[in-house]
Amino acid sequence: MSSEPIDTPTKILQATLKLLEAPDAKLPTMSDIARATGISRQAVYLHFPSRTDLLVAATRYQDRLNDIDTGLAPSRGARSGAERLDAFVTAWGNYIPKIYGVARAIMAVTDTDAEAAAAWNTRMQDMREGCSAAISALAEDGTLPPGTDIEQATDLLWTILSVRNWENLTQTCGWSQDCYIATIRGMAMATLARDLGALTDVLACTDPPA
């Protein structure tokens, strides 16, 4: 049986991800992507009017490849705010390693490349929506600490779950993924869901010596 032909936009997205995930990748230009796809630069612009559009589309295509909706289903179907927060923190924290190669290439140039910065900001705003939904669920339950500002609580969760924090702990400090998940889960649940029992997970994990 022959496989279905791949349309040009999908070929462009596949080529973009491959370039971004390469070891020591640099953010590709539209010309780089055109060469990798085997089409003209003008053809790339025909489907994606700017590199920002292409980078955003590529990260969302990566989400589809990784079936992120299935990973987020427990959070979206949670019966309480605390359950939603716990499921979201765990799902996103375990998703970061799957997208880190692409994320690293984009983050490396956000200070000097406006198109990359715009794409990354869009990516992080998408993630922030999940943080906001979890905080709103806590507020609706009455679980959020009294007097807590919902927007500030969303800021805090968004920051705790940043890719940079994952990078610092796992790549720079050498934490295992399990230790990272246990700690950020404990921090989020204790701080935002008033689950003081979760404090036992914060810095309680130990990794075997290398």
Side-chain angles (χ1 to χ4, degrees), residues 28-161:
T29 65
M30 296 296 259
S31 296
D32 294 332
I33 294 163
R35 282 193 296 272
T37 310
I39 61 177
S40 69
R41 185 168 173 268
Q42 289 72 21
V44 176
Y45 277 110
L46 177 65
H47 295 286
F48 301 98
S50 73
R51 191 167 59 145
T52 297
D53 293 329
L54 176 51
L55 291 172
V56 170
T59 58
R60 289 175 175 168
Y61 177 65
Q62 185 181 40
D63 287 343
R64 295 195 298 275
L65 292 177
N66 287 313
D67 195 13
I68 192 173
D69 285 337
T70 296
L72 291 174
S75 174
R76 292 167 175 167
R79 295 167 295 179
S80 70
E83 183 180 335
R84 179 159 195 160
L85 175 66
D86 195 356
F88 181 73
V89 168
T90 301
W92 175 254
N94 281 320
Y95 189 62
I96 294 174
K98 297 179 181 179
I99 63 170
Y100 178 62
V102 170
R104 177 178 55 188
I106 298 175
M107 290 190 301
V109 295
T110 53
D111 289 341
T112 57
D113 189 313
E115 290 179 315
W120 187 246
N121 288 339
T122 298
R123 176 68 159 162
M124 289 299 95
Q125 286 303 317
D126 288 345
M127 189 271 277
R128 186 185 173 89
E129 290 179 6
C131 295
S132 178
I135 296 300
S136 294
L138 290 171
E140 290 170 7
D141 280 356
T143 307
L144 202 64
T148 299
D149 181 86
I150 292 178
E151 194 68 18
Q152 288 185 338
T154 301
D155 293 341
L156 177 60
L157 180 59
W158 189 52
T159 301
I160 289 172
L161 294 176

